[in-house]
Amino acid sequence: DIMKIGLITDCHAALKPAEDNKYYAHSFVKFQDSCAYFLRDHVDFVVNLGDVYQSVGDPAKSEEALLRMVFPRMMTRAPFLHVLGNNDVVDYTKAEFLDFMRDPAKRMNRPMGRHRAAPQIEVTPRDSWYYSFEREGWKFVVLDTNYDKDGNSYEKTAYNCREAYVNPEQLAWLKEELAAGLPTIIFTHANLDIHEGPLAEICRLANAAEVREVIEAAGNVKLVLQGHDHNGAKSVMNGVP
């Protein structure tokens, strides 16, 4: 059997006109098309690598944009997992956004109609934006790159992407997760690698080298999948793609 993973990232959905070659309102249709593709291709689960929406300075409009991103994902009929992006915490606390993404029906004051929530994958820890799960002999690890240099969470605030960190507690947790020895895929928003590109430097985690050291020492990480850099890139660092 082949396990299929659907990936999407940096939708930046918003009820606002296009600017600077960014087409925020187009994301609603693009996301729907992507979810239809995932349905046709029978993916096992979908991972959104972060930045679901773009804040427009009006929490009510942010809420409406997010609600419009809910129904398409339900039609995939596959579990939908999320990585927390830097834009996702501009209007929300981490707990609020986690609740929204894990159980959007609770925030909907409208009929669900034919849409039904897709089955969910149980993750550990359940109440955190960094978590892991196992499937078919593989481990999947989701990182939260929304901390400052002192280990404080970025919440309900915009911040400088150059000042994004994986906090010490999470780094210790990552070591423990990788010690199990299972082949592992890591999902992250801020980038861990060094690659060429106009946004590569500002999209890189400030303590990326420290995280890579943990990954490389473990020796069982087969792939790191990243969002954040809209240009896209691929690199291999010390044997880890």
Side-chain angles (χ1 to χ4, degrees), residues 139-150:
K139 175 165 280 194
F140 299 92
V141 172
V142 172
L143 298 181
D144 176 2
T145 55
N146 297 278
Y147 290 88
D148 66 18
K149 63 182 179 180
D150 297 318

Side-chain angles (χ1 to χ4, degrees), residues 17 46 59 74 88 96 114 117 131 170 219:
V46 179
M74 290 180 178
D88 297 328
E96 288 170 343
R114 63 185 176 84
Y131 56 87
Q170 183 178 179

Side-chain angles (χ1 to χ4, degrees), residues 4 6 31-44 46 72-78 80 114:
K4 293 182 179 180
F31 183 62
Q32 183 171 323
D33 289 346
S34 298
C35 289
Y37 180 87
F38 296 147
L39 173 64
R40 289 195 305 270
D41 215 36
H42 303 290
V43 298
D44 290 88
V46 179
R73 84 178 212 188
M74 290 180 178
M75 75 186 209
T76 65
R77 300 179 188 168
F80 217 101
R114 63 185 176 84

